[in-house]
Amino acid sequence: MSDFNDNPYFELFSKQQQNQFAIGNSTYKQRLKKLNTLQYAIEVTYRAQIQKALQKDLGKPVVETELTEIYAIIGDIKHTKKHLRHWMQKQSVETPLSMLGSSSYITYEPKGVCLIISPWNFPFNLTFGPLVSAIAAGNTAIIKPSEMTPNSSALMAKIIEDVFAKDEVALIEGEVEVSTALLKLPFNHIFFTGSPKVGKIVMEAASKHLASVTLELGGKSPTIVDKTANLDKAAKKIMWAKFLNCGQICVSPDYVMIDESVKDEFITSCKKWLKTFYNDNPKTSDSYGNIVTDKHFDRLTSYLENAKTLHATFEVGGETDRSSRYIEPTIISDLKPEAKLLEEEIFGPILPIVIYESLDMAIAYINSKPRPLALYMYSKSKKNTNKILDNTRAGGSCINNSVLHYANHNLPFGGTNNSGIGKSHGFFGFRAFSNERSVLKQHTFGVTELLFPPYSGFKERLAQLTIRWF
Ligand code: NAD
């Protein structure tokens, strides 16, 4: 451990390490109490301050904060409290007859000292969500939130300090260097939410200590609209999902693939719903937010410039204002394959429309890109829906909806390969922060002892018998 003496966070890490068994051996009731305290802090004590912090950082409308941050965390805590007793129980499993005289069970023991690194787009939800799973599973945790949303990070630091002792949960604010220093420490588990690019850095750092990882990453999530779909309903749901949080959502529909014959009708409906949601001028709408930082604003406007250079068609929007980091909800078609909007994860309020001539072409296009975090299908055809589900791979999917699979605590949430490793939410989050320890308990004389050396002819026959019959 002396290797870490000059690491600024080693002392804190060591304190949590010393405390890990006391925390890990906590009872169901003790963990419930912690969850209740955290719930009260978010739901009551700090609720108004959370709304204000998000307003400052992301211009987030209060209703969106209530639904996608406060309700999301409270829902998570309630679900965990309801099921925790059961999750914590030992699970008996069958023992083969060849091991007669013994019984077997799985116990979910905490991983130990965990690191949680979170992003800025839903700062509270994506920090407290993993934390709920970590403490439910009996771990200690050090949290590093995003530097992009400083008001939210400062408030989370206050909440954590209020609710937990430092040797159980601590939050460290700061820039990338903080993550870099923390990643050098031998954590038992690292739960990272962010981009695939940084996910690779995290995984490399974790490999030095063989720490297990959960990587909740992003990427380009396709939405397919076939010609049998209810186009107006599809447009309504896609407009909501795409422009919620200004498109800064990991499971946001990144681009729409649509059958050529219904494209114009779909775009007409999209325009209608955008007007209904955000009026004629979304800039003045209380229901629409802004881009998180100038850097992200510049990134997104460079995609728009690139699309203009390539003579794409701006179906809706395109207006921007750097001083308020405003980008109008924008829909673009006729993009060339090399357009930035079709290559990079957009993570902003710009929706490319890509035409397909056949579902096979749509499938080939999707499969030519890294595996997405989410894939959405709008269709009335079971055959078409199954064809898409059977011939693509994605972390999760909604059929005739978008984003909502994220909100069902009974579904595992996470990506596959480039969009992530491991799952979170509900039991799957509890499991991510647990080691499934196998225990075999010998009660009486075990028949396996009959096979111990020295090996005689009898034992050889017994071994053959075992292979054949047990
Ligand atoms: P990011 O990867 O830039 O940053 C995430 C966190 O990692 C931040 O706390 C940041 O400080 C830290 N970080 C940044 N660079 C680092 C480095 N070199 N070494 C160590 N740590 C570093 O991501 P972001 O911009 O905050 O979030 C956007 C990305 O996150 C998108 O790709 C989005 O799809 C993804 N995302 C995924 C989920 C999910 O649940 N799967 C949720 C939200 C966002």
Side-chain angles (χ1 to χ4, degrees):
M1 285 292 168
S2 56
D3 289 359
F4 307 110
N5 273 343
D6 54 0
N7 189 304
Y9 309 112
F10 179 55
E11 197 185 331
L12 173 67
F13 176 85
S14 299
K15 283 190 176 141
Q16 290 208 356
Q17 212 173 32
Q18 284 155 27
N19 199 22
Q20 63 171 310
F21 283 95
I23 300 296
N25 291 327
S26 53
T27 62
Y28 159 71
K29 282 199 174 146
Q30 287 166 328
R31 293 187 198 179
L32 205 62
K33 200 171 156 202
K34 287 176 210 176
L35 292 170
N36 279 329
T37 315
L38 184 61
Q39 180 177 344
Y40 190 82
I42 292 164
E43 202 172 14
V44 183
T45 319
Y46 290 98
R47 190 176 193 144
Q49 291 182 55
I50 293 173
Q51 291 168 1
K52 269 191 205 137
L54 285 165
Q55 178 62 42
K56 280 189 196 158
D57 285 333
L58 287 157
K60 211 175 249 205
V62 171
V63 176
E64 267 187 31
T65 294
E66 285 286 309
L67 287 174
T68 62
E69 298 270 9
I70 294 168
Y71 169 74
I73 306 163
I74 300 306
D76 209 4
I77 295 177
K78 284 184 178 164
H79 178 82
T80 303
K81 288 194 308 188
K82 187 171 165 197
H83 297 283
L84 186 59
R85 189 196 290 272
H86 174 64
W87 296 346
M88 284 174 71
Q89 273 164 6
K90 287 175 190 169
Q91 283 184 16
S92 293
V93 295
E94 275 183 23
T95 305
L97 210 56
S98 55
M99 294 173 203
L100 199 70
S102 61
S103 62
S104 311
Y105 61 87
I106 301 163
T107 172
Y108 289 92
E109 63 180 22
K111 287 216 165 143
V113 188
C114 301
L115 174 63
I116 296 172
I117 302 178
S118 56
W120 52 264
N121 60 328
F122 290 93
F124 291 88
N125 180 356
L126 297 175
T127 301
F128 287 118
L131 180 65
V132 167
S133 299
I135 57 180
N139 296 276
T140 70
I142 297 178
I143 302 165
K144 155 68 180 82
S146 175
E147 64 282 14
M148 306 269 183
T149 39
N151 295 288
S152 302
S153 294
L155 183 57
M156 285 193 283
K158 209 168 153 196
I159 299 173
I160 294 294
E161 213 175 298
D162 194 9
V163 175
F164 298 99
K166 276 201 165 41
D167 61 1
E168 180 171 9
V169 181
L171 184 147
I172 304 168
E173 291 172 81
E175 303 281 328
V176 171
E177 301 78 66
V178 175
S179 300
T180 307
L182 284 167
L183 283 168
K184 292 199 171 115
L185 296 170
F187 283 95
N188 299 106
H189 187 72
I190 302 173
F191 190 107
F192 170 79
T193 309
S195 59
K197 187 177 141 222
V198 179
K200 288 174 194 169
I201 295 172
V202 170
M203 195 158 170
E204 196 179 338
S207 74
K208 301 269 186 324
H209 308 289
L210 292 175
S212 53
V213 290
T214 305
L215 302 178
E216 293 284 357
L217 311 178
K220 293 183 83 61
S221 296
T223 295
I224 302 138
V225 180
D226 79 4
K227 60 184 168 198
T228 73
N230 181 324
L231 295 176
D232 193 50
K233 280 191 180 163
K236 184 181 185 182
K237 290 173 191 165
I238 295 167
M239 291 305 96
W240 167 74
K242 176 69 195 186
F243 297 105
L244 182 72
N245 212 34
C246 259
Q248 301 168 111
I249 307 184
C250 57
V251 284
S252 181
D254 188 90
Y255 61 97
V256 165
M257 295 205 80
I258 191 159
D259 190 288
E260 198 164 11
S261 61
V262 292
K263 176 201 151 196
D264 291 341
E265 194 183 336
F266 174 73
I267 291 178
T268 303
S269 280
C270 290
K271 288 179 185 167
K272 180 188 84 181
W273 287 115
L274 282 178
K275 213 170 173 179
T276 310
F277 293 165
Y278 307 116
N279 304 319
D280 282 325
N281 184 7
K283 199 174 181 183
T284 57
S285 165
D286 291 338
S287 305
Y288 192 65
N290 53 251
I291 305 306
V292 65
T293 57
D294 288 348
K295 196 175 142 213
H296 279 281
F297 177 88
D298 293 343
R299 177 183 61 83
L300 288 162
T301 48
S302 79
Y303 295 171
L304 291 177
E305 285 309 314
N306 174 261
K308 274 183 199 152
T309 314
L310 295 170
H311 307 294
T313 308
F314 281 59
E315 304 280 359
V316 188
E319 193 195 318
T320 64
D321 173 20
R322 198 171 194 268
S323 65
S324 55
R325 296 196 302 277
Y326 167 76
I327 296 182
E328 189 182 1
T330 301
I331 301 177
I332 302 181
S333 63
D334 303 324
L335 278 157
K336 301 221 163 57
E338 68 271 26
K340 288 251 170 60
L341 284 166
L342 295 182
E343 296 211 312
E344 308 288 333
E345 179 183 6
I346 297 172
F347 220 61
I350 308 165
L351 183 68
I353 305 283
V354 178
I355 298 298
Y356 70 77
E357 282 160 29
S358 69
L359 273 190
D360 287 321
M361 276 178 72
I363 289 166
Y365 182 83
I366 291 163
N367 288 342
S368 72
K369 304 207 169 282
R371 291 182 172 182
L373 182 58
L375 180 150
Y376 307 119
M377 173 71 177
Y378 286 83
S379 173
K380 281 190 201 141
S381 160
K382 205 170 165 182
K383 190 172 152 227
N384 288 355
T385 304
N386 286 341
K387 182 167 179 161
I388 291 290
L389 290 180
D390 290 348
N391 292 291
T392 58
R393 296 289 177 264
S397 277
C398 289
I399 297 150
N400 294 320
N401 220 324
S402 304
V403 172
L404 287 187
H405 65 302
Y406 177 90
N408 183 349
H409 302 294
N410 298 304
L411 288 173
F413 181 76
T416 165
N417 299 130
N418 195 64
S419 53
I421 293 177
K423 300 288 168 180
S424 61
H425 289 188
F427 174 66
F428 304 95
F430 175 85
R431 199 161 73 172
F433 282 98
S434 301
N435 171 45
E436 288 151 322
R437 186 173 186 161
S438 306
V439 182
L440 183 138
K441 188 172 178 185
Q442 195 68 48
H443 302 283
T444 57
F445 170 76
V447 286
T448 42
E449 286 170 44
L450 294 174
L451 291 163
F452 290 175
Y455 302 123
S456 60
F458 165 73
K459 287 182 185 173
E460 213 172 280
R461 283 198 299 282
L462 198 60
Q464 293 304 329
L465 211 68
T466 305
I467 292 165
R468 198 158 166 200
W469 295 107
F470 299 111

